[in-house]
Amino acid sequence: MEWFLIPVSMLLKNFSYTLPTVLSTFPIYILAGLFIYRLISDSNSLEVLEVDRRVMTMTLSVLLSQLVMIVYSYQITTRPQDTSGMATGPINLFAYFANIFLVYYLLVLVLRGTKQIRNFIKATMITFLVFSILVLLPQIFATRFWNLDHYVNLIGHLFEATHKGRTDFYQFGSYTTTLRRVNGFSQEASFLAAQIGIVFIPFLLAAIKNKVDYFHDQMTKRSLAFYWGLLIFAFITLFFAKTSTGFVVIGVAVIAFIVSLPAGQRKNYYYGIGIALLILLILYFVNPSISELLNKYIFKKQGTSNRLGGTLALFLTFLHYPLFGVGRGYTSFYNFEFVPKALTHNEEFFRVFQQTGFSNQSMWGEVLAGYGLIGIVPVVIFVYHKIKKGRQLQNVLQHELTPTTRLYISIIDSFYYTLTIFAVVMLFSLSWTDNIYLVVFFFYIVVINYLDKELLR
């Protein structure tokens, strides 16, 4: 069953705009089916489903505060069409929290030992390899040529998630063939960049750092070349996604990897980075396509008024409602209220945002403004304790290096890479509530809890 979790979570296509967000995609139904099947097929499954009273208390506190703020925000809003509504809002809220517990307890049931944990990572690597060959590579080709447009449009029609009201993103069939930017199955290129950076790149970095082959007990030169090849292809994909988020992911991933290495191993990588930057610099001056891309999305990037204005609006909303936030799905009205007017004089604001709502341009801003400190502080404390626990576990595991202990050291390193990239990318916009992020996050949590029981208790 562990083989299906990541592939299922890749199914991002929304089949409805009227259902609550969590219920409008297929993964929640498939994951729920897997959970029920596991409960029925394994007579001992209920014994491992422990309920933490502190977690339940905090969850109920957040839910109660959210319901209060949803009612309040709905009463004062002048743009009810931009909210989740008095019926859909609470349903969406409860559905999302139920989904969180569903994903966590499913992983608890599935990841019962080293075999299942290793299989999960194998499935993740295979998924990325197949996704790269069948989806990303044709999309990269389509950013420059038109030969594969029919195939790319077919994949987009079958699997691509879309933004409501953004026909300018998909008017020629798919996002890629319309804007000539790689987006995978995501609504837009920046969401794909976040997905690759948070889900796949950390496993690759950890495998290279620790010389761990997830498919075999020993890392060979051929295996190492495989992980390097996937990593380089991931960076190439982020480059052709043509989004600042992608360039940020590349930069953060490289820095996090270098910093995590022992001092004696960094020298060769510095040379490699220097050579790569030199090649990029040469291409910038001799290749008009490369210089145009870098100017448009890095050096001379324009059209950032809405991102900056929306980000400021979200943080101003948080400052006005710091404790409880304004309610999940209700930030749009406050974005219009607090956005600096000087940053609204642009076509996208009038043509899109005023018609469909002011989408959140920073996920940190969205979380803080929507949930407030009561929703954020407990999560930060929880993650901090898992980081400390990970350090303790790595110290114990390093005493006896075997293929299994090296695997777990690598997983914990991957956890740190994931948190680092996630923390930075959350400054921008991404679909952070997608099930794939919950699956990956709780994979690390379940593994750390499993090792804690096996090694420290």
Side-chain angles (χ1 to χ4, degrees):
M1 190 176 290
E2 62 274 9
W3 292 94
F4 302 107
L5 298 178
I6 287 294
V8 164
S9 301
M10 294 287 290
L11 303 176
L12 305 176
K13 185 178 178 65
N14 41 310
F15 58 81
S16 171
Y17 289 117
T18 57
L19 286 173
T21 306
V22 176
L23 302 177
S24 65
T25 57
F26 291 106
I28 186 172
Y29 302 102
I30 302 174
L31 295 176
L34 293 175
F35 179 75
I36 294 171
Y37 172 78
R38 191 57 182 251
L39 282 178
I40 296 173
S41 62
D42 187 352
S43 58
N44 299 321
S45 58
L46 290 176
E47 298 178 4
V48 300
L49 299 182
E50 302 175 354
V51 178
D52 190 312
R53 291 185 178 180
R54 292 172 298 178
V55 172
M56 294 304 300
T57 300
M58 287 308 307
T59 300
L60 292 174
S61 299
V62 173
L63 287 173
L64 179 60
S65 67
Q66 284 286 293
L67 290 174
V68 170
M69 293 310 300
I70 283 174
V71 173
Y72 170 79
S73 294
Y74 192 79
Q75 294 302 315
I76 70 168
T77 184
T78 57
R79 296 178 61 94
Q81 70 274 17
D82 296 337
T83 71
S84 298
M86 279 299 292
T88 306
I91 292 173
N92 202 9
L93 177 69
F94 282 105
Y96 180 65
F97 273 79
N99 185 47
I100 291 174
F101 284 96
L102 167 68
V103 173
Y104 172 71
Y105 283 117
L106 174 60
L107 285 164
V108 169
L109 290 178
V110 171
L111 304 177
R112 305 281 284 272
T114 300
K115 180 181 178 181
Q116 291 77 24
I117 291 169
R118 186 186 289 272
N119 286 344
F120 177 92
I121 306 177
K122 288 180 183 179
T124 303
M125 295 293 95
I126 294 172
T127 298
F128 186 57
L129 178 62
V130 173
F131 186 56
S132 298
I133 295 172
L134 297 183
V135 180
L136 298 180
L137 191 57
Q139 287 187 352
I140 291 173
F141 185 85
T143 63
R144 300 297 306 277
F145 309 101
W146 282 254
N147 308 64
L148 295 179
D149 279 11
H150 290 300
Y151 173 78
V152 172
N153 282 336
L154 174 63
I155 294 297
H157 175 72
L158 293 174
F159 299 107
E160 183 178 58
T162 57
H163 284 305
K164 182 180 181 181
R166 293 307 303 260
T167 55
D168 56 319
F169 279 3
Y170 321 102
Q171 67 183 88
F172 295 132
S174 69
Y175 182 94
T176 299
T177 58
T178 301
L179 300 179
R180 301 297 162 183
R181 300 165 65 187
V182 178
N183 72 308
F185 293 159
S186 301
Q187 293 95 328
E188 55 184 276
S190 61
F191 291 7
L192 171 70
Q195 181 188 92
I196 291 175
I198 295 169
V199 177
F200 300 109
I201 285 179
F203 285 118
L204 298 172
L205 294 178
I208 293 169
K209 176 195 172 186
N210 296 289
K211 302 297 186 291
V212 169
D213 184 359
Y214 300 125
F215 296 88
H216 305 95
D217 286 341
Q218 299 295 328
M219 174 73 87
T220 63
K221 290 183 178 180
R222 186 175 181 179
S223 300
L224 185 60
F226 169 76
Y227 292 109
W228 269 114
L230 276 183
L231 180 63
I232 292 170
F233 182 79
F235 287 166
I236 292 172
T237 301
L238 294 174
F239 190 84
F240 281 97
K242 302 178 184 178
T243 170
S244 54
T245 304
F247 294 115
V248 168
V249 168
I250 293 173
V252 173
V254 170
I255 293 171
F257 178 71
I258 296 296
V259 170
S260 68
L261 291 173
Q265 296 182 19
R266 297 175 186 173
K267 186 175 181 180
N268 291 335
Y269 289 103
Y270 287 144
Y271 290 140
I273 293 172
I275 293 171
L277 291 175
L278 180 61
I279 293 173
L280 189 60
L281 181 64
I282 294 172
L283 290 174
Y284 177 79
F285 287 108
V286 302
N287 189 309
S289 298
I290 299 297
S291 59
E292 180 184 359
L293 189 154
L294 293 176
N295 284 333
K296 185 175 181 179
Y297 295 101
I298 300 182
F299 303 127
K300 300 178 182 179
K301 184 175 176 64
Q302 298 179 351
T304 59
S305 297
N306 290 321
R307 174 175 288 184
L308 177 59
T311 300
L312 292 173
L314 287 167
F315 283 100
L316 286 171
T317 301
F318 168 66
L319 293 177
H320 281 78
Y321 301 90
L323 189 57
F324 301 117
V326 298
R328 173 184 167 85
Y330 282 79
T331 53
S332 177
F333 163 68
Y334 296 92
N335 285 341
F336 284 112
E337 288 289 302
F338 293 118
V339 62
K341 302 307 177 187
L343 297 175
T344 63
H345 303 305
N346 60 83
E347 180 187 359
E348 185 182 36
F349 180 83
F350 292 107
R351 180 173 55 85
V352 179
F353 288 1
Q354 282 201 334
Q355 306 304 317
T356 63
F358 203 136
S359 60
N360 295 312
Q361 301 298 298
S362 165
M363 297 305 99
W364 275 123
E366 177 188 347
V367 171
L368 289 168
Y371 290 93
L373 293 175
I374 194 172
I376 300 304
V377 172
V379 175
V380 172
I381 294 174
F382 174 82
V383 172
Y384 171 74
H385 284 300
K386 294 305 175 184
I387 292 173
K388 286 184 61 179
K389 185 64 68 176
R391 292 296 185 195
Q392 291 178 330
L393 290 168
Q394 283 187 319
N395 290 334
V396 173
L397 291 166
Q398 287 171 350
H399 289 158
E400 184 179 353
L401 290 178
T402 66
T404 300
T405 58
R406 292 173 69 90
L407 170 68
Y408 285 123
I409 290 171
S410 182
I411 291 173
I412 296 171
D413 276 339
S414 182
F415 176 52
Y416 299 146
Y417 292 139
T418 294
L419 290 179
T420 302
I421 296 172
F422 183 76
V424 176
V425 172
M426 280 281 284
L427 293 170
F428 308 101
S429 60
L430 69 141
S431 187
W432 66 278
T433 58
D434 289 342
N435 266 303
I436 194 166
Y437 297 122
L438 290 176
V439 168
V440 168
F441 176 73
F442 285 128
F443 164 76
Y444 295 122
I445 300 305
V446 169
V447 170
I448 289 173
N449 290 344
Y450 168 76
L451 291 175
D452 184 25
K453 291 180 180 179
E454 292 294 316
L455 301 179
L456 301 182
R457 295 185 185 178

